[in-house]
Every structure is written in structure tokens, then in C-alpha cells.
Amino acid sequence: MDVHMSVGSGERLLEELARAAQLASPAELPVVLNRYAEATGLGRAVIYLADLQQRLLLPLVEGEPALELDTSLAGWAYRTDSLRVEEGPSGGLNVWLPLADGAERLGVLELNLDTLDGIKLLRCRTMALVLALIITSKRAYSDTIAQRMRTRPMELPTEMVRAFLPPRSIGTGRVVSTAVLEPAYEVGGDAFDHSFTEDILHATILDGMGHNLASGLATSVAMSGGRNARRIGADLDTLVGTVDEALAKWLPDEFCTGIFTQLHMPTGELRWCNCGHPPPLLIRRHRLLHQALERPPEPPLGLPASLAGAARQVHDVGLEPGDRVLLYSDGVVESRNEEGEEFGLDRFTDYIIQTTAAGQSAPEALRLLIDAILEHRRNELSDDATILMFEWQPPGP
């Protein structure tokens, strides 16, 4: 087929790809993709997905080798969210395109072409965009995709908590929210949540007491309570009260700490309620504003109003464009190496500031940070380490 086909032919083939991909199982998806790639002159296609810890790029279909995310050209495309091209081992070109659904990074797409021109480049980018949406849709109900993103078995409490977690990263033109959670396969009671309603970003971090199935169940109930309240339009103090009542009713012996935040994206107004958790951090113009968001904490979640003694206090502050707000669990800064040295709050914030100054995106900054924390502990954390960061960057006038 002529690669410079008419616009109508190209659109028809793209429609056929979308229709066939919707009906394909994950194992059939590469076959459908290759059929489209060959018909449009794009050669052979291979899908790679990032593993849970974002260290490897794993092929969706077995038979291709895994790729190191930090050292390969494919990893470079993933880390920088940009296209990369190299000469193939037997001639031609290897093109690596990031697979991303908005702010959520999924993996990369490899295409093997004889030549590359403007029309083929447009088709490559379009294929990657469509494919990312298809993968996002299928992973909601496909255990095959979940399997491909894991490098070892997962413990049951972790499986339960991860079933409730949203994507690692979400974003709009005004804000990006991104999170990491370790240990990836043995997490205890930590969790995060973020979502949009109208012009509000909701971001939450939770830390259940203990490291067992009950603590994971407590954070799962807390997340569900928060979602149930915000989906009926509850304000922040009512939302937190809903979580308190849910835990007190269904798990009266379990408690968890947490922070609930709401960011009004048009204006940058931030409201938050801190329930026994480390206070949020505010980074502005590459500097940590010490104690900027520190307020007297509320009791842990799980105490109804009659026992907590007073209504939950909600605080508010105005953000400036470019501000980054960090929510974290105590396992992040209290992680100790073999010499007993804590990772510490200073090292934690300095790492974020340095990676931001180096031009790293928010998701990449957190990926690098959690790797540094794991390296500090030689990949064996004694407590869960969870970080959620959101950045408010409204469009210019």
C-alpha cells in the first residue's frame, strides 16, 4: 500500500484500528496494532509497559526482552515524554514513542521503519495516542495487563489496597497530581487518592495503623468514604466526617491518619484538613516555605464527632502559580539506612527542589525520589513510604 495514501484512507484505517482494538484481548492487541502499522507503512510495532516500580519496561507480549528504564533509549522516551529515534541493528530506524494518557505514563511504543518522514511521524504519534487510551481502558478489567506490569507476586493486603488506588498521575491544563507508593508488593496501610470534580482537584493521603489486612481494609474504607462524600458534592469538613463515621461504624477498632485537600484550580485556593498526619509541605520558586502549611493537627480518622470533641478544622491558603504541595507518610522521612541515619525531611525536600530545578516533570521527580529512598534502605523499607505531589500551574493571561 502507498504510504502516502489519501487522508480518507488513513482515517478509515485508524477507525478500523480503534474498532478492532476495542474487541481485542490484550494478547490480540499487538496483532491488531501490527496489522494497522503495516498497512500505513510503519513496519513492526511492540508495546512495552512500565512495571509497578518504574524501573523496567516490560513487553506486553512475551518474547521481547525487558528494557532498563534508566539506561535504555526507550526509557529515555518514557522519562522525558518525548520521541526518540535510533538506527536499527539491521538497517532502518527504531522509533520510540511514549505511551501516556494525559499525565499518566504507561510505557513506550517501538516501531521499526525503513524511513521516516513527516507523514509517517504524524501517524506514529496518532497511533501512540490512540493506543494509550485503549490500554487505559483495558487495564481496568484485564488481569493480563496487571500481570505484565509486575515482576513478582503481590501480598494479599497490598492487592486489596491497590485495587482501590487511582492512576499514579492525573492532570489538566492547570494542575498535575502524581503519587508513588512503596513497597510496591508488600505495602501495609498506606494509600493515596486524587480526582477531579468540576474545577476542584481532590488529593488525599492515608496511613492505616499497623501492617496487616485490617490496616489495609481501614484505608480502603476511608478512601471509599471520601469518594462517596465528594460524589454527592460534600464540602471538606462533611467529607472528613463521613470518613470518621464510616470507620467508626464498620471498623471500630481501626484508625488511620490522613490529609484531605481540595484545590480550586481557577484561583489556586487550597483547603485542607490534617487528621493526625505529618503536615503538608509547600515548595515555591525552588524553596521550601517552612511551616507554611503547618497547623495544629486533628485527631486520627475513625473518631465520630461525639468522641473527637469538636468539628474538624479546615484550613485554607492561596497558592501562587508554579507552587508544588507535597503530602507524605512518615515512612518517607523516617526511613533509616544500616548506619541508623534517617533519610530526613531536609534530604526529602532538597531532592524535590533539585529535580524540579533540573526541569524534571512532577511524575519523574517523584520516581527519582522514591528510588533514592529505596537506595537509602537498600530496597528494604521498614515502613510504607507514600508521596503525593500536586503542582498548580494556571495558563497565562
Side-chain angles (χ1 to χ4, degrees), residues 36-96:
Y36 171 79
E38 292 172 5
T40 52
L42 302 183
R44 178 172 169 269
V46 182
I47 301 168
Y48 290 87
L49 300 176
D51 78 305
L52 280 182
Q53 296 179 293
Q54 299 183 88
R55 294 180 171 182
L56 296 170
L57 289 166
L58 305 170
L60 179 59
V61 176
E62 295 180 354
E64 301 290 337
L67 305 174
E68 293 285 342
L69 202 147
D70 283 313
T71 59
S72 65
L73 200 62
W76 182 270
Y78 178 91
R79 300 192 313 269
T80 62
D81 191 30
S82 58
L83 175 144
R84 288 293 180 268
V85 182
E86 64 178 343
E87 290 187 11
S90 56
L93 299 172
N94 284 358
V95 179
W96 302 96

Side-chain angles (χ1 to χ4, degrees), residues 120 125 173 175-176 190 230 248 250 269 278 341 386 394:
K120 286 185 178 180
R125 293 186 185 279
V175 67
V176 170
D190 275 19
R230 73 177 182 237
W250 300 107
E269 180 189 8
E341 178 189 10
T386 307

Side-chain angles (χ1 to χ4, degrees), residues 17-32 134 138 141:
L17 167 65
R19 288 184 180 278
Q22 284 181 339
L23 300 175
S25 70
E28 296 167 339
L29 186 57
V31 176
V32 172
I134 292 168
K138 289 188 179 297
Y141 57 84

Side-chain angles (χ1 to χ4, degrees), residues 294-314:
E294 190 167 333
R295 305 289 188 276
E298 298 291 306
L301 295 156
L303 295 175
S306 59
L307 296 179
R312 298 286 192 179
Q313 294 296 305
V314 174

Side-chain angles (χ1 to χ4, degrees), residues 80-300:
T80 62
D81 191 30
S82 58
L83 175 144
R84 288 293 180 268
V85 182
E86 64 178 343
E87 290 187 11
S90 56
L93 299 172
N94 284 358
V95 179
W96 302 96
L97 298 106
L99 293 174
D101 182 9
E104 174 73 339
R105 304 185 296 180
L106 304 171
V108 296
L109 172 64
E110 179 190 11
L111 292 167
N112 307 124
L113 294 80
D114 294 329
T115 60
L116 184 63
D117 57 27
I119 294 176
K120 286 185 178 180
L121 182 58
L122 177 60
R123 291 176 188 156
C124 290
R125 293 186 185 279
T126 302
M127 182 192 295
L129 290 171
V130 172
L131 183 58
L133 295 175
I134 292 168
I135 292 172
T136 298
S137 172
K138 289 188 179 297
R139 72 173 177 169
Y141 57 84
S142 169
D143 282 349
T144 299
I145 293 178
Q147 287 175 324
R148 293 291 187 265
M149 297 174 69
R150 299 181 183 184
T151 58
R152 63 179 187 270
M154 182 175 290
E155 292 187 353
L156 177 57
T158 310
E159 192 78 63
M160 180 179 65
V161 171
R162 284 202 172 272
F164 280 88
L165 294 183
R168 270 191 300 253
S169 302
I170 61 174
T172 71
R174 290 186 172 129
V175 67
V176 170
S177 179
T178 185
V180 288
L181 174 60
E182 285 284 352
Y185 298 89
E186 303 88 18
V187 70
D190 275 19
F192 66 87
D193 197 15
H194 45 199
S195 180
F196 296 111
T197 58
E198 300 295 335
D199 283 332
I200 301 293
L201 165 69
H202 303 260
T204 301
I205 191 168
L206 298 162
D207 185 356
M209 305 300 181
H211 295 85
N212 51 32
L213 190 64
S215 60
L217 184 58
T219 54
S220 299
V221 169
M223 275 196 291
S224 299
R227 290 173 181 175
N228 181 253
R230 73 177 182 237
R231 288 168 183 171
I232 60 173
D235 55 21
L236 193 55
D237 56 348
T238 303
L239 185 151
V240 177
T242 300
V243 174
D244 279 328
E245 295 292 343
L247 286 171
K249 178 179 180 179
W250 300 107
L251 296 169
D253 297 326
E254 297 294 327
F255 302 93
C256 64
T257 66
I259 297 180
F260 297 83
T261 70
Q262 292 180 343
L263 174 64
H264 186 239
M265 293 182 288
T267 64
E269 180 189 8
L270 174 67
R271 304 178 74 239
W272 78 98
C273 181
N274 183 354
C275 304
H277 205 78
L281 303 175
L282 176 59
I283 293 177
R284 176 174 294 163
R285 291 188 286 275
H286 306 318
R287 290 179 54 247
L288 172 67
L289 300 189
H290 292 279
Q291 300 180 335
L293 304 181
E294 190 167 333
R295 305 289 188 276
E298 298 291 306

